[in-house]
Amino acid sequence: MPGIYLHIPFCKQACHYCNFHFSTSLNQKGAMVEAIVRELELQKDYLKGASLSSIYFGGGTPSLLSGAELEYIFAKIYQMHPVNEDAEITLEANPDDLDAAKLQALRDTPVNRLSIGIQSFAEEDLRFMNRAHNATEARACIENALKQGFENLTLDLIYGSPTTSHARWKTNLETVFQYPIPHLSAYCLTVEAKTALDHFVRKGLAAPVDEEHANAQFQYLMDATRERGYEHYEISNFAKPGWHARHNSSYWQGESYLGIGPSAHSFDGTSRQWNVANNAKYLKILGNTELQDLAQAELFEHEILSPATRYNEYIMTGLRTIWGCQLEKIDPAFWAFFLENVQPFLAKGLVLEHAHTYRLSEAGKFMADFIAAELFSVEE
């Protein structure tokens, strides 16, 4: 079933590694909420009346929204779309926002899942990343969320940083395991273009990511989570049984979704569109009270996906998950190409096949991007 993603493009400060769309000025937060509500009205038919199985507030830092602002957005979502009673409703949050008052306010909204950007429990790591919170707040927010009754928690961690020794990475994971956390997302630090980290590395002010160092921490991550009953169901995601992230899983399995807010993407099964990644332009377009046609207003760009693009996207997402790539879900026009190009990886044990379903082996997970790229079709 489809879902809605809402991009909240504000942060207190810029993390050194982040290349997502956001602004550190909160002056237009109220206007942005009004624009998001307006876009929800104008995009009400995109999902063709299908019931929502998930709603996801991402960013940016959605926890900067007040309880009243969230309720205002929720009222419009529920007005425009049927929502399943058991819908997964996630809010990304930073630890420094999750004090007792904020958590109580969130309990009064439909939010039933928190995705908390911990990244590390070590001060040196947090300073290197330029996170807005400290190590004490990292622990306190988990304890406060649990006390307020939020049992559906997922935490984000980052490994591979030059400041994260193997001992520190082990401590970060052991800290997570102290709590009843059903879901964990762990990402390798990457140096993205035009970020502060990219500038520091190019100027010699920060060490580049060491692949061997990062791979060792990824191996430890897989071993430690497996020992504690987590299922490694996507390259960067680990869940206790029954706690897979429903919203993100719908992306990986090709479900339709509507993206609201600046830079947000939407997908309807055959086409994709992405909103302008500029707060001022987004606000200007949605501020036009006579606006009826978003395409003519140039709010988004639109692309009809070619068969080759749909094939490539299925390979890219499917191969990263425990569900793998099923031959029956691949366009038959690409069967011969896929079966020929996957053979070397089967022979090396990097891809495993069972009942015409192809999954990465544990060794293959270290080469996920390379393997997927080798299976991509360039035919259009």
Side-chain angles (χ1 to χ4, degrees), residues 37 80 89-90 99 111 113 123-124 129 138-139 168 198 206 221 228 231 263 267 272 278 286 313 335 337:
V37 166
M80 297 291 107
I89 303 177
T90 304
D99 58 19
V111 171
R113 182 174 183 266
E123 295 289 2
E124 186 180 3
M129 299 176 197
R139 292 175 175 81
R168 180 168 289 164
D198 177 47
L221 168 68
R228 287 159 180 81
E231 184 175 37
S263 80
F267 174 68
R272 190 177 307 285
N278 182 295
L286 272 304
E313 291 194 357
W335 282 2
F337 174 86

Side-chain angles (χ1 to χ4, degrees), residues 160-371:
S161 165
T163 61
T164 307
S165 66
H166 293 335
R168 180 168 289 164
W169 179 234
K170 179 180 180 180
T171 298
N172 276 340
L173 289 173
E174 290 297 333
T175 303
V176 172
F177 300 147
Q178 291 173 11
Y179 302 102
I181 304 298
H183 191 282
L184 172 67
S185 297
Y187 304 97
C188 183
L189 181 70
T190 55
V191 182
E192 302 288 354
K194 299 181 180 180
T195 61
L197 181 58
D198 177 47
H199 172 77
F200 296 152
V201 170
R202 286 189 289 107
K203 294 293 184 181
L205 302 174
V209 176
D210 183 287
E211 184 175 352
E212 184 177 344
H213 177 80
N215 283 346
Q217 295 188 354
F218 183 51
Q219 183 66 62
Y220 184 82
L221 168 68
M222 290 192 290
D223 294 341
T225 50
R226 181 170 52 245
E227 289 172 3
R228 287 159 180 81
Y230 289 84
E231 184 175 37
H232 190 185
Y233 73 103
E234 195 271 343
I235 288 290
S236 301
N237 288 274
F238 306 78
K240 293 292 182 71
W243 294 91
H244 291 179
R246 191 183 305 169
H247 187 84
N248 289 342
S249 294
S250 71
Y251 291 165
W252 302 323
Q253 296 182 72
E255 298 284 348
S256 299
Y257 55 89
L258 170 62
I260 299 291
S263 80
H265 286 58
S266 302
F267 174 68
D268 66 2
T270 59
S271 68
R272 190 177 307 285
Q273 63 190 46
W274 52 99
N275 285 355
V276 59
N278 182 295
N279 286 4
K281 289 182 180 179
Y282 180 84
L283 291 173
K284 182 178 179 179
I285 292 169
L286 272 304
N288 179 359
T289 56
E290 297 180 359
L291 179 65
Q292 297 297 326
D293 188 331
L294 290 178
Q296 290 185 3
E298 298 183 348
L299 177 68
F300 55 78
E301 294 185 58
H302 183 263
E303 174 190 16
I304 303 294
L305 302 182
S306 68
T309 298
R310 290 200 299 272
Y311 162 80
N312 289 346
E313 291 194 357
Y314 179 63
I315 295 300
M316 180 177 64
T317 57
L319 204 60
R320 294 174 61 90
T321 71
I322 59 168
W323 305 291
C325 293
Q326 300 172 39
L327 196 61
E328 65 181 20
K329 292 187 177 181
I330 295 175
D331 184 333
F334 295 94
W335 282 2
F337 174 86
F338 174 80
L339 292 172
E340 177 184 352
N341 286 277
V342 79
Q343 287 306 314
F345 302 112
L346 290 168
K348 294 176 181 178
L350 299 173
V351 174
L352 306 176
E353 184 271 336
H354 176 72
H356 304 300
T357 296
Y358 298 79
R359 301 180 179 88
L360 294 175
S361 66
E362 185 161 296
K365 291 174 183 177
F366 289 89
M367 303 173 62
D369 291 342
F370 173 77
I371 294 171

Side-chain angles (χ1 to χ4, degrees), residues 10-14 22-26 61 64 94-97 132:
F10 300 106
C11 290
K12 290 179 181 176
Q13 64 188 50
F22 67 92
S23 170
T24 54
S25 171
L26 305 184
T61 310
L64 290 173
N94 276 351
D96 45 301
D97 293 329

Side-chain angles (χ1 to χ4, degrees), residues 99-118:
D99 58 19
K102 185 54 172 279
L103 285 161
Q104 182 56 59
L106 290 175
R107 289 293 292 167
D108 293 335
T109 74
V111 171
N112 55 31
R113 182 174 183 266
L114 295 178
S115 176
I116 307 176
I118 298 291

